[in-house]
Amino acid sequence: MFEVLIDQFWSLTIAGVALGFIYVLVSLGYTMVYGVLRMINFANSEIFMWGTFGTIVTSRDIFGYSQTSAPATGPKLALVLFSQLLMSMAVAGLTAVFVEFVAYRRLRAKGTNRLATLISAIGISIVLSELMRLLTDSRPVGSPRVLEKIILTEVWGANIRLDTVVTIFAAAAIYFLLERFVKLSRMGKAIRAVSMNEDAAKLMGVNLNRVITTTFLVGGLATGAAGFFYITVFEYTKFNIGFTMGMAAFTAAVLGGIGNIRGAFYGGLFLGLLEVYASAVLGTQWKAVTVFIVLVLVLLFKPNGLFGEAVQTTRA
Amino acid sequence: MKIRNYWNLRDFGANIWEKATRTQRVAIALTSILLVGLLPFMGGSILATPIASFDAVLVYPVGMFVLMSLGLNIVVGKSGMLDLGYVAFFAIGAYTMAILGTTTKMNTWEIMPIGIALAMIAGVLLGIPTLRLRGDYLAIVTLGFGEIVRLVVLNSSWSKGPNGIANIPMPPKIGPLKFELENQKVFFWVVMAMILVTIWMIRRLTVRRPGRAWEAIRQDEDAAELMGVPTLKYKIWSFTLGAAVGGAAGVLYASKNLYIAPEMFTLNVSILILACVVFGGIGNIWGVVIGATILGYLPDRIRFISDARLLVFGIVLVVVMNFRPDGLLPRKKREKKIIERDDNLLKLENVTMKFGGVTALNGVNLEVKRGEILALIGPNGAGKTTVFNVITGVYKQTSGTVTFDGTSLGNQKRYEVTALGVARTFQNIRLWGDMTALENVITATDVHKKSGLVGALFGFPRASIEEEVNRERAHEILRFIGIDQYSDRLAKNLPYGVQRRLEIARALGTSPKLVLLDEPAAGFNPAEKVELAATIRKVRDAGYTVLLIEHDMSLIMGISDRVVVLDFGTKIADDIPSVVQKDPRVIEAYLGVPADAS
Amino acid sequence: MRLEIKDLHVHYGKIEAIKGVSVIVNEGEIVTLIGANGAGKTTMLKTVSGLRPITSGQIIFDGKDISKVPAHERVDLGISQAPEGRGIFPGMTVLENLEMGKFHRKNRKAEMQEDLEKVYHLFPRLKERVGQAGGTLSGGEQQMLAIGRALMTRPKVLLLDEPSMGLAPQMIANIFRIITEINKTGVTILLVEQNAQQALQRAHRAYILETGNIVKEAKASDLLDDPAVREAYLGTGAH
Amino acid sequence: MNKKIQRSLAVVSAAALVFGVAAAQTSANAAPKTVYLAYQGPLSGGEASTGTDEQNAVKYAIKLFNAKNKAKYNVKLVSVDDQGDPAVAGTVAPGIGKNKAILGVVGPAYSGATIASLPFYKAGGLALISPSATRVSLTDPASPDFGGPIFHRVVATDDKQGPALAKWATNGNKAAKVFVFDDQSSYAVPLAGYVTAGLKKVAGASLVGTDSVPNTTTDFAPTIAKIKTSGADVVIYTGYYSQAAVFIKQLRDSGSKAVFAGGDGVFNQEFPKLAGVAAEGSRITGVSGLMDANPKAEAAFKKSMGVSSGVYAVESFDAANIFLEAILKGNTTRAKVLAYVKAYKGTGIGGTTYQFTANGDIKGDGFSGFESVKGVLINKGPVK
């Protein structure tokens, strides 16, 4: 039962960490919005999906890569990858702002019930995914390989691959940037202030609408970055990939303590590892079941997730 | 910013309904049922659904969506728990039917109770550990549960895995009604019957204790708990009832579709049903029915848009939620009701009370407005205390109606009346003497609580937190009444004046809307009376409505907004104090001598 | 006239919470609004600071109608509110909380140190707790922090909502003393209080609010002696 | 009328003979008779691309037919969108079953939707020819899913494909160590079972591991770990091409050189396109597509429909033609159409001979082995 885990432990762990970092970034999309609005941004999964398409469009249509082209090298590689990342973040960020505008703003101004907002968000996520489905004829889209997946070295029998390394380090860097932003920047402080006490924040001269739009934007940027890494590692997308990713990332956010940025970090990594280990030990068909059982157990003992709720607890 | 209700369908409907007599109501109900029952014959009309046959669409998705939405509405709408795994109960019902139907000789109606029971058991098993979670945490856990059920079915051999189960038997005929493949009207009628039963069940529960408990939990779970609602128990109940409806729907669905597979029970179904509930008007039965009907029917009706219809569906959701966030037919709002009901918290209409040959009350009409102090006076034996006893459910009136906050009184148990928001003090002090003042009030705060068995059994940490919060609240009440300094003394050892005030504090402990004070100033000296008057006014100012029996005229004239005078079971005056005081009949019957004599 | 509220109506849903109230606050005054729970006092403050939209009426500040100005912009104009109860940011340190008060000031860098010193001078306790998270302060300290933070915005009018709520008697006296001190530095104060005794002693003028209506307006010292007011709000009872 | 005939002749010269027969049978001035066929499959939702491809082929067949026989028949297509979902199928099927104007159904595309639809079509005596429902039980009289007498299919079943796939995957490997995994779908799980059974008949081959991966998975690291631990040199995936493409890339990137093989779910020219170089050498079983079977027909298709033919194009086209021939022979009731189909014997556009067994399967087991070479799946001939 455990022979796979033992035999391939380090390969699995590296894969789990890479996947985990992608979860971390998508979780941030959920957690940021939850922190300020106390609402699940149900459309975040589709924001992610749009980000993945942004990544592919950049390499395929702007830089003209195809499935058969050779991977990029040198400065060109950096340029293409960076453009892809920016495009993915821009697409996702703008989509997130659009979502806020269409699905949330009016309802928030009215101060109506949370469920209406939830359904509105579900509606917009149906719109986003259906739109993409119609645009792509329900077909999967493969990504040209831009970053060659060179095996850098072998550690304890595990291949250390370039794309995995890039993903882990770049995603971690983006996470820490974001955490710093929320902790130290003026806008970040405003976001935290709103998440702790909306009225008091207003009384300090914080423009609530701007803060909320920024929060969606920042969450969208993180989610978009995740879209880029996802494409770099898996090189594939389809209009419906958001659903699985969204569910996993949301689970990760809740595991860590939704609304808590650091919680998204640990929750994402934890979930990434849990998924690969559980798949290796029990079989992939029981992966989701294991994840949800662990989630229930965690919540039973820590009803606000591993790291407690809300952005407010990210103290200096 | 005012939110106007432009298409006020609910009020329109409610208006007709409320004005109707009993016979008219029965007629309206029967006609509606009949008309809806005739729907399967409307396949050729504008209602027809292209491609899919109309009668089939009426059964699924429309009928099933309505049924499931009503079930989910108990969970989401009534008690405010966000459940994203409702499909699990539907799946459990369906698989029970499929497995038992294909392996045993049992028919649909025999399997139905088993399916319902299994769904309910699943509801309890899921509910006990998870329903302590709030809001979005509960949402993700229920979502997980839904997925677990689907994945277990998908990956197990007893359920035939992804292949699903085919050849599920149709239900045997009921009398002359035969279930047919090509014409599904009988299925539709059965779904309708199940919907009606569910509506009946919800309505019954809603006007009774569980409904109030759910309402309290939905609005403020902590407060509900503080008022003595065993929230976990009621949440599990709500969950389990929802599960039962889902299970029943599943059994019928399997028996109708003849084939089921795990892919039919995805999260999308849960989300869709939730959308039906919120879209129609969460918490409002008719709203939910309409929402589910539209969302079930719409995609089939607009099949001509073909591939883009889901897109249209999404847009419809966003637009409707943005412009009618409470759904098409919103739930009744409390404040609305207050305005509609003319501010009367309590209304006695033509109440007669006979004991053997003695008529204690004779056609008494009495209205108590919200937020007022109403004094009820009259000579001994005039029927004042009888009025209290009728209101609090000690007696049931011989005839006439008593309406409290929109609920008709008369059949409730006494504690149920208390739960509705009526508290009283006693003329002869009836404190729990061997409890401290504080304990007296705490006990009142959890007077609503029935068992707490589950909590006690599993030793939830909340129980002790709850205890702490209750204590805090009791202190607050004592402070409010001004006797906090006596909180740790046994009630029986308190000075008389303090005991009287403690009676009031204890009454407030039950979080009443209406406080009945039975001669609160009995035995007080003038100084104490002044103090009491201030206290009673304070109680009123804090938002309670006060109905008081008192003999002390200076007290009554000083604090009452209105005075009602009874004599021999008949109301002889009802006006502001200064007018009543000068009413010759009152003077003759009661005061005897001009006021200010006491 | 610093602040004028004209025929203000406010609704919560369909319930009218403020039913046509007019209040005037002159430059340099302490004006207090007293009244029972639910009389609408807090609502009044929230409409002045912009947290709650009004149904009709006007709020005039320095001669300008600000009824439609959003809350965060009113701060720039010089209106600052120390909210009721725990209106602080619990996850931020005391210093961060105070710095938030400068969130929108143009010369925030230049003013920061000076104003911090002023606040520390008024509330030496805050200086001791500068690195502590707001949520871990005691009730009295949180109240100080809320007031201090409001002062950081350099208000012309300071709105105080129940500063004495939940405080021990000794602390109450202290807070009111500081309120007077703040007033002496030239800040106009609109004070909402349950503790009518203290409020009337400190204020220049007072309004009595009952279920959304002004029932009385007078010099504070007169109200202290008014028997009806004494009975209703100051307690004629034994304690 | 003569001019019209001539124009028709000019357009489709190949149809001249058939047309002559038909023309002789009808009276000179009769208006064309409108008849209805249906296509049932996923036309919206996540599986829509499969359904759209199939329906395009059906539409093409009808277009050709109507052009040829416009004087006699006007065949109209009813699109029945079941989203590939048995729940939706249960709602649409009653309507189709009742609508006696519809003489035959090409489809349903998916086995689950087929099973859910069957009771209604059986009751209506409506003949079905599915281009892609491969579940064995559909033509197994002992199974509750049995579709007889109305169900037919022009696609070979999993129990024939399983052994073929096992053979083709291990071709040339004397001691193959095989790892089999599926995507948890109702198509892949049974096929994996038949592959496993088929492996037992392959000399020297052994099954060293299995897995079952949700069809939404994109991270195959755990499966690859299992493959490596098991030491497999052949990996068979019984799911669909899009996941296969993601998987094979990851497998190659992990450094594994194991042979990759898949069934007709993977058999799609999109597979090597999506997977790129990683697909090189992959072994797929399937039945020749239009492009492969008849490049000329493919060109005509693209010209007429504006898009290339897609998955199951040949099967869908042939299935539609069986019905169209029945109509042309004057069978315009359901019973007659059904009888005609049951007795049918003919050759499809790809050269396949169609003749249905009593249970609705086609005779013969024409699976070919394909290999991915330079981004194209090349037919290496029938698997023996």
Side-chain angles (χ1 to χ4, degrees):
Chain A
M1 193 173 187
F2 291 96
E3 63 275 9
V4 177
L5 185 62
I6 295 161
D7 186 60
Q8 296 287 324
F9 183 77
W10 292 106
S11 294
L12 285 169
T13 305
I14 292 167
V17 169
L19 184 66
F21 268 107
I22 293 174
Y23 287 159
V24 169
L25 293 178
V26 183
S27 302
L28 284 174
Y30 287 99
T31 258
M32 292 289 300
V33 171
Y34 191 89
V36 292
L37 291 184
R38 296 284 179 280
M39 275 171 197
I40 307 170
N41 180 9
F42 226 91
N44 200 46
S45 48
E46 309 314 321
I47 292 170
F48 167 79
M49 180 269 291
W50 277 72
T52 61
F53 278 94
T55 310
I56 291 185
V57 165
T58 309
S59 58
R60 192 186 62 189
D61 300 333
I62 298 180
F63 287 96
Y65 281 86
S66 72
Q67 291 290 349
T68 49
S69 349
T73 49
K76 178 89 187 275
L77 174 68
L79 174 72
V80 177
L81 285 183
F82 202 63
S83 314
Q84 281 184 303
L85 174 65
L86 283 188
M87 178 67 109
S88 184
M89 289 171 79
V91 168
L94 290 179
T95 312
V97 171
F98 169 76
V99 166
E100 194 263 330
F101 212 75
V102 175
Y104 287 88
R105 177 155 296 191
R106 197 185 144 87
L107 284 167
R108 189 168 52 74
K110 278 192 191 170
T112 43
N113 68 68
R114 298 158 42 79
L115 280 169
T117 318
L118 185 74
I119 300 299
S120 169
I122 288 172
I124 199 82
S125 81
I126 292 174
V127 169
L128 285 174
S129 85
E130 280 298 298
L131 212 58
M132 187 53 83
R133 188 178 73 73
L134 295 175
L135 286 174
T136 57
D137 271 347
S138 310
R139 289 173 210 276
V141 177
S143 161
R145 181 163 291 190
V146 177
L147 177 71
E148 193 166 10
K149 303 195 168 180
I150 307 161
I151 295 172
L152 297 174
T153 174
E154 204 185 288
V155 179
W156 295 306
N159 295 326
I160 310 288
R161 256 183 14 230
L162 184 59
D163 59 316
T164 328
V165 172
V166 167
T167 298
I168 291 174
F169 281 98
I174 289 175
Y175 165 78
F176 284 112
L177 257 168
L178 199 82
E179 205 206 6
R180 292 284 107 180
F181 167 79
V182 172
K183 202 178 283 177
L184 299 176
S185 76
R186 215 164 81 79
M187 202 30 147
K189 277 187 183 166
I191 290 174
R192 285 169 60 206
V194 170
S195 81
M196 291 174 215
N197 191 329
E198 199 178 296
D199 275 355
K202 280 193 212 166
L203 293 174
M204 299 299 111
V206 172
N207 183 339
L208 191 66
N209 278 339
R210 191 181 300 166
V211 165
I212 286 173
T213 306
T214 311
T215 309
F216 270 86
L217 177 68
V218 171
L221 292 177
T223 306
F228 163 74
F229 294 119
Y230 183 88
I231 290 299
T232 308
V233 175
F234 302 123
E235 299 179 335
Y236 160 91
T237 187
K238 198 178 173 187
F239 73 94
N240 63 3
I241 56 156
F243 183 77
T244 318
M245 169 57 73
M247 210 147 85
F250 180 57
T251 309
V254 173
L255 263 175
I258 189 162
N260 180 339
I261 290 183
R262 207 172 286 177
F265 181 79
Y266 293 111
L269 286 183
F270 178 71
L271 187 72
L273 289 171
L274 179 67
E275 280 196 3
V276 289
Y277 294 155
S279 303
V281 174
L282 299 169
T284 313
Q285 66 267 44
W286 298 110
K287 175 179 77 178
V289 175
T290 317
V291 166
F292 282 120
I293 288 173
V294 169
L295 178 77
V296 171
L297 290 178
V298 167
L299 290 182
L300 280 187
F301 293 101
K302 304 213 52 139
N304 288 329
L306 291 171
F307 292 87
E309 197 175 295
V311 181
Q312 66 211 39
T313 47
T314 44
R315 285 210 296 272
Chain B
M1 189 174 52
K2 270 188 171 173
I3 303 169
R4 273 249 180 79
N5 210 342
Y6 287 102
W7 325 324
N8 214 330
L9 291 171
R10 188 195 69 232
D11 290 358
F12 177 71
N15 210 6
I16 293 178
W17 185 253
E18 266 159 29
K19 280 186 188 152
T21 64
R22 201 178 165 77
T23 349
Q24 281 171 329
R25 286 185 184 185
V26 172
I28 293 174
L30 287 180
T31 318
S32 316
I33 292 172
L34 187 72
L35 284 177
V36 175
L38 288 176
L39 271 179
F41 301 104
M42 299 289 289
S45 71
I46 186 156
L47 296 173
T49 42
I51 306 297
S53 78
F54 183 62
D55 52 311
V57 171
L58 280 180
V59 182
Y60 183 93
V62 176
M64 287 294 170
F65 276 21
V66 171
L67 187 56
M68 282 198 277
S69 301
L70 284 170
L72 182 61
N73 184 46
I74 303 176
V75 183
V76 181
K78 295 293 172 194
S79 48
M81 298 181 288
L82 183 49
D83 179 357
L84 287 179
Y86 191 64
V87 70
F89 304 119
F90 185 54
I92 288 169
Y95 267 91
T96 309
M97 175 67 214
I99 292 171
L100 292 181
T102 51
T103 55
T104 69
K105 289 206 155 33
M106 282 195 275
N107 70 36
T108 310
W109 313 126
E110 289 157 0
I111 296 169
M112 183 72 78
I114 302 173
I116 294 175
L118 287 177
M120 289 175 87
I121 291 169
V124 173
L125 289 182
L126 172 68
I128 288 173
T130 60
L131 287 181
R132 294 161 53 217
L133 301 166
R134 302 274 173 94
D136 302 318
Y137 290 96
L138 183 63
I140 180 86
V141 168
T142 49
L143 183 155
F145 174 68
E147 283 292 286
I148 288 174
V149 168
R150 181 180 71 83
L151 289 168
V152 167
V153 166
L154 179 66
N155 291 313
S156 301
S157 53
W158 49 263
S159 60
K160 307 218 170 135
N163 286 337
I165 299 175
N167 264 5
I168 302 166
M170 282 213 274
K173 63 181 176 188
I174 315 174
L177 299 174
K178 202 167 167 297
F179 290 86
E180 292 164 4
L181 266 178
E182 292 198 294
N183 192 334
Q184 307 206 336
K185 60 179 185 293
V186 181
F187 276 110
F188 177 67
W189 292 335
V190 170
V191 176
M192 250 180 84
M194 288 167 71
I195 290 169
L196 289 173
V197 169
T198 310
I199 290 177
W200 172 81
M201 178 181 86
I202 296 172
R203 287 184 67 105
R204 260 190 92 79
L205 288 172
T206 309
V207 297
R208 285 172 171 71
R209 281 160 52 84
R212 296 209 156 260
W214 293 336
E215 179 74 12
I217 292 168
R218 185 177 66 82
Q219 292 190 1
D220 186 337
E221 191 172 340
D222 286 321
E225 202 137 343
L226 296 183
M227 292 308 128
V229 178
T231 52
L232 183 65
K233 185 180 118 182
Y234 278 106
K235 280 160 84 175
I236 290 177
W237 258 117
S238 151
F239 215 64
T240 312
L241 284 174
V245 176
V251 171
L252 188 70
Y253 177 68
S255 190
K256 178 253 152 190
N257 211 45
L258 311 180
Y259 169 67
I260 57 165
E263 63 202 278
M264 297 171 169
F265 306 102
T266 57
L267 174 63
N268 284 333
V269 179
S270 297
I271 290 179
L272 202 56
I273 300 299
L274 180 67
C276 290
V277 173
V278 181
F279 185 86
I282 184 165
N284 181 327
I285 292 177
W286 302 113
V288 168
V289 169
I290 287 172
T293 306
I294 291 176
L295 291 195
Y297 172 74
L298 185 71
D300 268 309
R301 184 69 190 86
I302 61 171
R303 261 179 186 272
F304 57 88
I305 317 179
S306 118
D307 210 8
R309 67 180 186 278
L310 265 176
L311 183 68
V312 173
F313 181 80
I315 294 170
V316 167
L317 280 188
V318 176
V319 170
V320 170
M321 281 301 109
N322 267 280
F323 290 93
R324 290 188 70 87
D326 291 323
L328 295 175
L329 219 57
R331 86 164 78 227
K332 287 182 187 171
K333 290 257 166 64
R334 269 243 109 61
E335 62 259 35
K336 173 105 182 133
K337 207 151 110 188
I338 297 168
I339 294 159
E340 276 171 359
R341 287 179 199 275
D342 200 23
D343 277 358
N344 284 328
L345 180 63
L346 179 73
K347 197 168 179 183
L348 274 66
E349 280 173 291
N350 226 355
V351 171
T352 298
M353 184 75 226
K354 290 181 177 162
F355 299 103
V358 184
T359 303
L361 295 176
N362 190 4
V364 171
N365 288 302
L366 182 68
E367 288 163 2
V368 184
K369 295 196 173 65
R370 280 167 209 276
E372 75 171 350
I373 299 178
L374 176 68
L376 189 59
I377 64 172
N380 289 331
K384 303 182 302 275
T385 305
T386 310
V387 170
F388 271 30
N389 285 335
V390 168
I391 296 170
T392 53
V394 178
Y395 304 146
K396 176 171 169 21
Q397 67 269 27
T398 316
S399 69
T401 59
V402 181
T403 317
F404 175 74
D405 202 14
T407 309
S408 169
L409 301 182
N411 293 317
Q412 288 87 345
K413 303 239 161 45
R414 288 161 70 170
Y415 64 83
E416 286 173 333
V417 176
T418 312
L420 286 175
V422 181
R424 70 170 296 177
T425 64
F426 298 91
Q427 188 179 343
N428 46 336
I429 295 171
R430 281 158 71 178
L431 294 167
W432 298 301
D434 286 325
M435 286 187 190
T436 64
L438 188 69
E439 282 167 348
N440 265 281
V441 182
I442 292 178
T443 310
T445 60
D446 50 38
V447 78
H448 302 247
K449 204 180 323 193
K450 289 303 281 181
S451 67
L453 184 80
V454 181
L457 211 59
F458 292 87
F460 293 152
R462 175 160 297 167
S464 60
I465 297 166
E466 180 187 305
E467 190 64 35
E468 193 52 44
V469 185
N470 273 355
R471 182 172 296 271
E472 201 42 53
R473 201 180 108 78
H475 268 300
E476 222 167 81
I477 292 169
L478 290 174
R479 225 175 287 135
F480 178 74
I481 298 295
I483 53 172
D484 195 30
Q485 63 268 43
Y486 301 103
S487 58
D488 293 332
R489 288 177 51 185
L490 288 184
K492 64 182 177 191
N493 297 336
L494 293 174
Y496 180 75
V498 178
Q499 289 197 13
R500 279 245 165 263
R501 288 157 151 261
L502 182 55
E503 278 248 320
I504 299 177
R506 187 177 62 171
L508 296 184
T510 65
S511 312
K513 297 186 182 112
L514 176 67
V515 187
L516 306 177
L517 302 177
D518 198 351
E519 300 205 24
F524 273 15
N525 65 36
E528 283 174 328
K529 282 179 188 170
V530 172
E531 214 176 300
L532 180 74
T535 307
I536 293 174
R537 215 183 275 126
K538 211 170 152 191
V539 167
R540 189 262 319 266
D541 288 345
Y544 302 98
T545 305
V546 179
L547 175 59
L548 137 116
I549 298 176
E550 188 47 70
H551 287 299
D552 184 290
M553 285 315 287
S554 66
L555 180 72
I556 288 168
M557 296 307 159
I559 62 171
S560 312
D561 296 306
R562 222 151 42 88
V563 178
V564 169
V565 188
L566 286 184
D567 189 25
F568 293 111
T570 312
K571 187 166 91 173
I572 60 169
D574 179 353
D575 216 321
I576 56 171
S578 53
V579 175
V580 170
Q581 218 168 352
K582 297 185 185 101
D583 188 321
R585 289 180 63 193
V586 177
I587 295 172
E588 188 200 335
Y590 177 53
L591 303 172
V593 285
D596 276 328
S598 62
Chain C
M1 219 181 302
R2 188 102 252 182
L3 178 69
E4 186 181 2
I5 298 163
K6 272 192 197 166
D7 193 29
L8 186 71
H9 291 261
V10 180
H11 283 82
Y12 282 93
K14 293 205 163 79
I15 306 254
E16 191 172 26
I18 303 290
K19 306 165 181 168
V21 167
S22 297
V23 166
I24 289 173
V25 184
N26 294 311
E27 174 95 50
E29 270 190 323
I30 300 181
V31 172
T32 181
L33 290 176
I34 58 179
N37 265 335
K41 298 175 310 226
T42 298
T43 308
M44 287 285 295
L45 281 199
K46 285 189 170 173
T47 48
V48 174
S49 63
L51 292 180
R52 175 136 278 283
I54 65 175
T55 312
S56 67
Q58 279 185 311
I59 300 169
I60 295 165
F61 179 73
D62 277 351
K64 192 180 145 209
D65 183 358
I66 57 163
S67 322
K68 299 272 183 287
V69 177
H72 63 271
E73 287 175 23
R74 294 191 200 187
V75 182
D76 301 343
L77 296 173
I79 299 177
S80 187
Q81 183 189 347
E84 181 182 20
R86 284 156 181 56
I88 53 147
F89 304 119
M92 291 187 179
T93 63
V94 169
L95 182 62
E96 280 179 313
N97 262 284
L98 291 174
E99 283 171 350
M100 278 308 291
K102 280 264 172 281
F103 184 79
H104 218 241
R105 298 284 297 173
K106 283 204 183 65
N107 322 329
R108 54 182 164 273
K109 295 237 164 75
E111 293 173 355
M112 185 70 82
Q113 207 47 45
E114 184 189 338
D115 285 4
L116 279 176
E117 287 308 323
K118 273 188 201 158
V119 171
Y120 293 152
H121 174 74
L122 283 173
F123 305 105
R125 275 291 263 291
L126 293 183
K127 191 165 189 182
E128 294 164 25
R129 305 241 183 271
V130 101
Q132 198 172 323
T136 63
L137 298 178
S138 74
E141 289 164 343
Q142 291 195 354
Q143 191 57 257
M144 292 175 189
L145 181 55
I147 296 173
R149 193 184 57 182
L151 288 175
M152 293 295 286
T153 67
R154 297 208 170 176
K156 294 175 185 157
V157 173
L158 178 62
L159 313 174
L160 294 175
D161 194 356
E162 308 258 4
S164 75
M165 194 163 88
L167 300 187
Q170 180 197 1
M171 187 66 90
I172 292 176
N174 197 16
I175 286 273
F176 278 103
R177 184 185 51 74
I178 291 169
I179 289 171
T180 308
E181 213 172 301
I182 294 169
N183 178 245
K184 283 187 182 141
T185 65
V187 180
T188 307
I189 290 175
L190 179 56
L191 169 70
V192 152
E193 247 314 325
Q194 284 251 43
N195 188 330
Q197 183 86 33
Q198 283 280 0
L200 290 176
Q201 276 171 11
R202 298 282 171 180
H204 301 106
R205 285 189 308 113
Y207 291 82
I208 295 179
L209 203 56
E210 261 178 25
T211 56
N213 288 303
I214 296 280
V215 294
K216 200 163 233 170
E217 182 219 331
K219 276 178 68 180
S221 49
D222 293 352
L223 288 182
L224 267 177
D225 301 328
D226 185 319
V229 174
R230 289 195 69 86
E231 193 198 351
Y233 299 104
L234 302 175
T236 51
H239 74 130
Chain D
M1 179 158 176
N2 267 334
K3 275 182 185 171
K4 280 183 184 171
I5 294 171
Q6 277 163 5
R7 217 181 304 152
S8 301
L9 277 167
V11 174
V12 203
S13 54
L17 184 67
V18 180
F19 178 77
V21 174
Q25 283 177 350
T26 19
S27 63
N29 288 318
K33 187 176 162 73
T34 303
V35 287
Y36 292 89
L37 288 180
Y39 167 76
Q40 182 178 343
L43 296 169
S44 67
E47 306 295 332
S49 61
T50 308
T52 313
D53 283 348
E54 291 189 355
Q55 186 176 254
N56 277 341
V58 175
K59 276 185 178 164
Y60 180 58
I62 291 175
K63 199 171 171 183
L64 291 182
F65 178 86
N66 280 344
K68 261 189 257 177
N69 305 298
K70 73 170 78 158
K72 270 184 77 183
Y73 291 107
N74 180 18
V75 177
K76 288 193 170 163
L77 181 68
V78 179
S79 295
V80 185
D81 177 14
D82 63 14
Q83 295 177 265
D85 178 347
V88 180
T91 305
V92 291
I96 302 304
K98 251 192 290 190
N99 184 351
K100 300 279 184 200
I102 296 170
L103 298 182
V105 177
V106 178
Y110 285 19
S111 300
T114 306
I115 297 170
S117 308
L118 274 173
F120 306 101
Y121 297 157
K122 281 183 186 167
L126 178 60
L128 311 176
I129 305 177
S130 173
S132 51
T134 55
R135 197 180 299 176
V136 175
S137 58
L138 282 170
T139 49
D140 174 5
S143 159
D145 306 346
F146 179 57
I150 56 159
F151 179 79
H152 308 80
R153 57 182 153 203
V154 289
V155 61
T157 50
D158 298 338
D159 57 345
K160 300 202 175 101
Q161 182 173 197
L165 180 52
K167 270 188 219 159
W168 179 231
T170 55
N171 192 17
N173 188 336
K174 294 275 178 267
K177 289 196 261 177
V178 187
F179 187 93
V180 178
F181 74 111
D182 62 66
D183 72 355
Q184 299 189 344
S185 70
S186 52
Y187 155 72
V189 176
L191 180 57
Y194 291 109
V195 170
T196 313
L199 277 174
K200 293 190 179 127
K201 291 180 190 139
V202 179
S206 59
L207 182 71
V208 294
T210 60
D211 201 359
S212 186
V213 181
N215 60 8
T216 49
T217 303
T218 44
D219 176 28
F220 288 94
T223 308
I224 290 169
K226 284 185 186 177
I227 291 168
K228 290 195 159 177
T229 306
S230 69
D233 52 10
V234 175
V235 178
I236 301 177
Y237 177 57
T238 59
Y240 294 97
Y241 74 95
S242 54
Q243 246 60 39
V246 181
F247 168 76
I248 185 65
K249 279 182 163 191
Q250 288 179 30
L251 184 70
R252 293 292 173 253
D253 292 339
S254 79
S256 169
K257 301 254 186 298
V259 170
F260 177 74
D264 59 347
V266 183
F267 178 61
N268 189 318
Q269 292 297 349
E270 287 291 309
F271 167 67
K273 280 189 203 150
L274 272 174
V277 285
E280 279 304 286
S282 299
R283 294 176 183 184
I284 319 291
T285 51
V287 178
S288 300
L290 193 55
M291 181 67 181
D292 188 41
N294 193 338
K296 243 171 86 187
E298 169 68 20
F301 180 94
K302 192 160 185 186
K303 201 175 160 207
S304 170
M305 302 300 291
V307 290
S308 301
S309 70
V311 290
Y312 297 114
V314 173
E315 290 84 347
S316 307
F317 186 79
D318 288 347
N321 274 332
I322 294 173
F323 282 127
L324 292 170
E325 280 181 40
I327 291 166
L328 196 60
K329 297 265 162 67
N331 299 303
T332 49
T333 64
R334 282 184 176 182
K336 283 186 186 169
V337 169
L338 180 59
Y340 182 86
V341 169
K342 294 208 93 62
Y344 182 82
K345 187 172 180 184
T347 307
I349 193 169
T352 320
T353 307
Y354 293 117
Q355 187 178 5
F356 295 106
T357 65
N359 295 333
D361 271 323
I362 44 170
K363 288 175 179 160
D365 46 359
F367 274 96
S368 299
F370 289 80
E371 195 174 315
S372 180
V373 181
K374 295 197 174 111
V376 183
L377 299 178
I378 304 292
N379 193 341
K380 296 280 181 180
V383 180
K384 283 167 200 143

